[in-house]
């Protein structure tokens, strides 16, 4: 077993952890797709990290180390939940189908966010993690590969497939929305005509 770090080194590690919190939260939100679960995930990961400070060999690598813990904790959470679907998200997506002109700008932004969340939710866990790290958080393929313990080529492949899948989901949603608008136009026209 590795020795406990000196108080000065432990303080430096804790500072690096604190500086990494915004990125950890963003990664967790991308994985979990809801704020409460993401906050729980980050808290569990930080607790795990604090129990294992002696594992840090390079303070510059704390962010990647923490992201790896978040990713591992997320997989554990998925196994415990058995990937159940969210009724709230389904309701919100139904609500997002209302006619565009009846929504305020804030409602349109929320609807677009829900579309992206729905597209993310359509991905398997591994490609979702890759696309969140690279596409949303701006990690290089090499950095994401270190977090996910994969080769950079595998990460690039997962990101490409994930982006294609998300584009398919978003395109299908756009076509459905166009059909819904057309049905509404016809319905209004029949009532007035």
């Amino acid at each position: 077993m590795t020795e406990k770090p000196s108080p000065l080194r432990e303080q430096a590690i804790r500072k690096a952890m604190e500086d990494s919190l915004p990125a950890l939260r963003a990664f967790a939100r991308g994985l979990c797709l809801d704020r409460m679960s993401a906050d729980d995930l980050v808290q569990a990961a930080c607790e795990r990290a604090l129990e294992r400070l002696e594992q840090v060999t390079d303070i510059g690598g704390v962010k990647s180390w923490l992201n790896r813990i978040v990713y591992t904790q997320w997989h554990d959470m998925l196994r415990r939940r058995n990937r159940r679907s969210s009724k709230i998200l389904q309701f919100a997506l139904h609500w997002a189908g209302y006619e565009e002109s009846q929504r305020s700008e804030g409602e349109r932004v929320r609807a677009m966010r829900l579309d992206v969340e729905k597209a993310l939710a359509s991905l398997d866990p591994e490609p979702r993690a890759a696309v969140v790290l690279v596409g949303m958080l701006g990690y290089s393929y090499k950095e994401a590969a270190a977090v996910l313990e994969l080769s950079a080529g595998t990460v690039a492949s997962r990101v490409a497939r994930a982006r294609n899948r998300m584009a398919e989901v978003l395109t299908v949603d756009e076509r459905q929305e166009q059909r819904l608008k057309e049905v509404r136009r016809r319905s209004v026209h029949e009532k007035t005509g």
Side-chain angles (χ1 to χ4, degrees):
M1 181 160 179
T2 317
E3 286 184 34
K4 183 177 178 178
S6 70
L8 191 57
R9 181 165 174 77
E10 183 175 329
Q11 183 179 2
I13 295 168
R14 288 175 182 264
K15 174 68 174 131
M17 287 176 63
E18 184 178 322
D19 292 345
S20 299
L21 282 176
L24 283 179
R25 286 187 184 108
F27 182 41
R29 291 253 350 246
L31 294 174
C32 297
L33 304 178
D34 80 83
R35 182 170 288 162
M36 288 177 39
S37 295
D39 288 346
D40 291 345
L41 179 59
V42 169
Q43 181 177 345
C46 287
E47 288 172 2
R48 172 83 39 102
L50 289 171
E51 294 169 355
R52 293 172 169 74
L53 290 179
E54 70 277 355
Q55 292 178 352
V56 177
T57 57
D58 174 26
I59 292 177
V62 167
K63 186 174 168 184
S64 291
W65 176 67
L66 289 170
N67 277 318
R68 179 70 198 155
I69 293 171
V70 166
Y71 182 68
T72 303
Q73 293 284 79
W74 178 60
H75 266 284
D76 292 346
M77 185 177 78
L78 285 179
R79 279 190 283 275
R80 284 190 302 270
R81 280 195 202 173
N82 200 18
R83 297 181 67 184
R84 65 175 191 217
S85 65
S86 168
K87 300 273 187 217
I88 294 171
L89 182 58
Q90 291 172 359
F91 171 77
L93 290 171
H94 174 72
W95 174 83
Y98 282 141
E99 197 165 335
E100 190 74 16
S101 64
Q102 293 178 350
R103 292 190 231 157
S104 69
E105 184 62 27
E107 290 170 328
R108 280 193 286 276
V109 169
R110 282 190 295 277
M112 286 189 311
R113 192 185 94 241
L114 287 171
D115 289 343
V116 171
E117 287 179 1
K118 180 182 177 189
L120 277 171
S122 74
L123 301 174
D124 288 333
E126 290 78 15
R128 184 186 317 162
V131 81
V132 167
L133 285 171
V134 174
M136 296 174 77
L137 299 179
Y139 279 59
S140 70
Y141 290 120
K142 184 179 177 182
E143 292 168 329
V147 171
L148 302 174
E149 294 182 341
L150 299 169
S151 72
T154 300
V155 171
S157 175
R158 286 184 180 179
V159 168
R161 283 194 306 268
R163 285 179 176 158
N164 288 339
R165 173 69 183 135
M166 289 177 70
E168 288 172 10
V169 169
L170 292 171
T171 301
V172 167
D173 285 349
E174 287 175 16
R175 284 190 211 131
Q176 289 173 343
E177 189 166 328
Q178 288 300 330
R179 282 188 219 126
L180 183 60
K181 285 181 181 178
E182 183 59 33
V183 167
R184 286 184 185 142
R185 262 194 294 270
R186 286 183 192 158
S187 176
V188 168
H189 184 45
E190 288 171 0
K191 289 179 185 176
T192 61

